[in-house]
Amino acid sequence: MHDTQSKTQERALLVGVCPDTDLSDEVEESMRELARLADTAGAYVVDQVIQYRHSPNPAYYIGSGKAAEIAEICKEQEVDLVIFDNDLSPAQVKNLDRSIERRILDRSGLILDIFASRARSKQARIQVELAQLKYMLPRLTRQWSHLSRQAGGVGSGGAIGVRGPGETQLEVDRRLVRGRIEQLSRALEHVEEAYQNQRKGRIDKFCVTLVGYTNAGKSTVFNALTQAGTLIEDRLFATLDATTRIVPVSGGQDILLSDTVGFIRKLPHHLVASFKSTLMEVFHADLLLHVVDASHPQWEAHMETVGRVLDELGVHDIPMIPVFNKRDAVEDFAVFQRMQRLYPDGVAVSALDPADMERLRNKVFEYIDRSRLELGLVIPYTEARYLATVYESGDVIFRADEPNGVRLVVRVMPAAAGKLNRLLDRFVA
Ligand SMILES: Nc1nc2c(ncn2[C@@H]2O[C@H](COP(=O)(O)OP(=O)(O)OP(=O)(O)O)[C@@H](O)[C@H]2O)c(=O)[nH]1
Ligand SMILES: [Mg+2]
């Protein structure tokens, strides 16, 4: 995090609500994360305020007295924008805006802003813009256009300014926004179709996908396993696009490894929905590697969040191996004991240690090996052209030339077995 403020940075005040003193650790962690998000978005965090109250105030989220207090702090500390750790209703934003007289942003708005500034590929841009518009639609009121006059700052640039749909959105009404949403949804369908076509070519490959909380080290593991040069940063949401590379496997079929966007608690719902096509690699995976930052005090909560997001995406029944990363940075040995007890199938690694990455690679290969099937075939000499197909599909572990043809036993991945069965059904021995 930046300790000193640069001239261009906006000054942000963070606000959180804690419903119960039992939850104060969790709220404080969530606030720390909000501070990282604000920093990632380019703001300078001046201070934070946590209010203890059982349930949110429908008009202000916090109490109206607290809102007045915050207004004072904003004047004293020259705050430009107030960021809430929870999602605010459009009415709450409006009321807070009036009483605090500063730009109001909630966690979803902030996350969307970061995604917008990081989206590079066409697909990521479409997805982020779509999520932004859906988020913005119910908030298209007077105060929204008030916010947008200050385009360029954190949160304002997202939906309306340079990073998003464009300045002309200032004047547009809901009808236009809806039209744009439709247009983007169609564009996304095309992208998905193209993806499905591209996938057909690799259907018989074993697909492994890295998932996990943001900053867990997915891209670092990905690079170590594939020798690729994907962007690694000690920042949130370094990766927005799924990247897929081949991991060569000696003497057998190569596997495809995919890196994906990181998850975070309270990930905006619209964003999850929009990012479905980026997360296709997750749906089609044969195996998920759940990368966890083992050195993070909240690793268990992170794992739960990842589980919840996968649920929300509708990903079920895909086998998953927990990968406890950043082993080198774990100070307390008890952490490993707990991980081993709760996740006996997990592996503790450091992505920075080549020997550990070799161990992880072997663990994946073992898993693949266990899920391979053996298929017996007798291919007549007149159909010898199919021999090459069989050899390409997997490992031939037995071959004998018999009077009526070549007898083969081949070890293949389940997907390849299906394909071979369809093609060579009449030769199955
Ligand atoms: N000490 C230590 N640091 C690591 C390890 N693996 C990754 N890191 C660091 O953790 C930070 C995040 O790494 P990334 O690989 O970008 O994380 P990510 O999960 O891809 O993050 P997003 O793309 O933002 O979701 C970087 O600063 C890495 O250098 C590790 O095993 N040990
Ligand atoms: Mg990454």
Side-chain angles (χ1 to χ4, degrees):
M1 210 155 300
H2 306 288
D3 295 330
T4 49
Q5 185 193 359
S6 78
K7 274 195 190 128
T8 51
Q9 272 185 311
E10 288 185 291
R11 295 168 66 81
L13 176 72
L14 310 183
V15 181
V17 167
C18 182
D20 193 325
T21 42
D22 286 353
L23 295 172
S24 56
D25 281 355
E26 205 175 297
V27 171
E28 266 165 36
E29 176 55 34
S30 188
M31 292 297 282
R32 263 196 294 279
E33 199 171 75
L34 187 70
R36 281 206 77 184
L37 286 168
D39 176 62
T40 302
Y44 176 77
V45 177
V46 176
D47 206 350
Q48 67 169 36
V49 175
I50 298 179
Q51 184 178 34
Y52 288 86
R53 62 176 294 141
H54 273 302
S55 56
N57 175 324
Y60 289 93
Y61 194 76
I62 46 176
S64 58
K66 201 71 179 175
E69 210 178 288
I70 287 173
E72 274 310 303
I73 299 177
C74 287
K75 280 187 201 124
E76 272 164 30
Q77 307 218 34
E78 296 175 5
V79 168
D80 303 300
L81 110 136
V82 182
I83 308 175
F84 285 75
D85 193 34
N86 287 75
D87 284 350
L88 300 170
S89 72
Q92 285 165 344
V93 174
K94 197 164 145 190
N95 294 332
L96 288 165
D97 181 47
R98 224 178 261 152
S99 111
I100 299 178
E101 295 184 309
R102 291 293 186 276
R103 240 152 4 97
I104 307 293
L105 198 61
D106 63 12
R107 193 181 174 99
S108 284
L110 182 61
I111 294 175
L112 284 169
D113 193 68
I114 295 171
F115 271 69
S117 67
R118 302 210 149 201
R120 293 281 172 274
S121 73
K122 187 175 164 216
Q123 183 178 355
R125 286 211 206 108
I126 296 173
Q127 288 167 324
V128 175
E129 190 182 338
L130 192 60
Q132 283 181 315
L133 291 174
K134 285 184 176 169
Y135 170 83
M136 176 182 153
L137 193 57
R139 292 170 176 78
L140 262 187
T141 50
R142 184 205 60 81
Q143 98 283 352
W144 189 275
S145 53
H146 159 78
L147 297 185
S148 56
R149 253 183 269 125
Q150 310 167 31
V154 174
S156 64
I160 307 171
V162 281
R163 296 165 177 173
E167 297 282 9
T168 55
Q169 292 291 336
L170 292 178
E171 296 90 35
V172 299
D173 58 6
R174 288 199 169 91
R175 190 176 48 80
L176 283 180
V177 172
R178 284 208 190 90
R180 181 78 180 137
I181 286 177
E182 250 170 56
Q183 195 185 354
L184 289 170
S185 305
R186 270 198 304 275
L188 212 50
E189 273 168 32
H190 288 305
V191 173
E192 279 163 27
E193 260 167 44
Y195 172 83
Q196 297 293 3
N197 287 337
Q198 188 193 337
R199 249 196 75 72
K200 280 184 193 142
R202 38 162 120 144
I203 201 117
D204 56 340
K205 295 259 196 302
F206 192 87
C207 299
V208 180
T209 299
L210 298 165
V211 293
Y213 211 74
T214 182
N215 209 50
K218 298 174 295 297
S219 299
T220 313
V221 170
F222 179 79
N223 288 354
L225 293 179
T226 62
Q227 270 103 48
T230 301
L231 177 72
I232 297 170
E233 266 191 290
D234 194 10
R235 302 207 102 182
L236 305 179
F237 304 117
T239 309
L240 284 198
D241 286 295
T243 318
T244 302
R245 288 281 162 88
I246 288 175
V247 181
V249 181
S250 59
Q253 292 201 284
D254 297 337
I255 61 175
L256 290 178
L257 186 70
S258 300
D259 186 17
T260 59
V261 58
F263 300 160
I264 197 164
R265 81 191 77 193
K266 305 176 196 162
L267 201 58
H269 176 76
H270 292 315
L271 205 55
V272 176
S274 294
F275 265 75
K276 267 198 170 154
S277 53
T278 288
L279 292 167
M280 288 279 191
E281 303 298 344
V282 177
F283 299 110
H284 294 293
D286 298 295
L287 174 67
L288 298 176
L289 295 181
H290 180 174
V291 181
V292 182
D293 178 352
S295 70
H296 198 290
Q298 293 272 317
W299 64 270
E300 285 182 75
H302 290 179
M303 287 185 84
E304 275 168 36
T305 299
V306 171
R308 262 199 308 279
V309 178
L310 289 175
D311 260 356
E312 199 179 326
L313 283 165
V315 175
H316 306 285
D317 310 326
I318 300 180
M320 182 151 77
I321 298 178
V323 177
F324 296 107
N325 188 36
K326 307 198 191 181
R327 176 171 81 94
D328 57 291
V330 177
E331 281 160 13
D332 184 2
F333 190 72
V335 168
F336 292 120
Q337 288 170 325
R338 185 165 172 80
M339 284 167 183
Q340 200 170 28
R341 198 155 47 78
L342 299 180
Y343 300 95
D345 58 336
V347 255
V349 299
S350 166
L352 311 178
D353 180 346
D356 276 7
M357 289 297 96
E358 191 55 37
R359 219 158 29 85
L360 178 61
R361 197 177 290 142
N362 287 336
K363 175 114 184 167
V364 172
F365 293 164
E366 271 166 34
Y367 177 89
I368 294 176
D369 218 41
R370 268 187 276 126
S371 57
R372 288 214 280 189
L373 305 170
E374 281 181 16
L375 203 65
L377 298 161
V378 177
I379 298 187
Y381 294 110
T382 51
E383 308 280 354
R385 63 181 187 283
Y386 287 119
L387 283 174
T389 314
V390 176
Y391 275 89
E392 277 160 20
S393 304
D395 291 337
V396 173
I397 54 171
F398 175 85
R399 174 179 175 144
D401 295 330
E402 296 182 351
N404 48 348
V406 184
R407 179 175 291 275
L408 299 165
V409 177
V410 60
R411 299 194 61 196
V412 287
M413 297 310 305
K419 197 172 146 189
L420 275 187
N421 273 326
R422 283 191 295 281
L423 186 70
L424 303 176
D425 193 30
R426 56 197 187 280
F427 308 136
V428 172

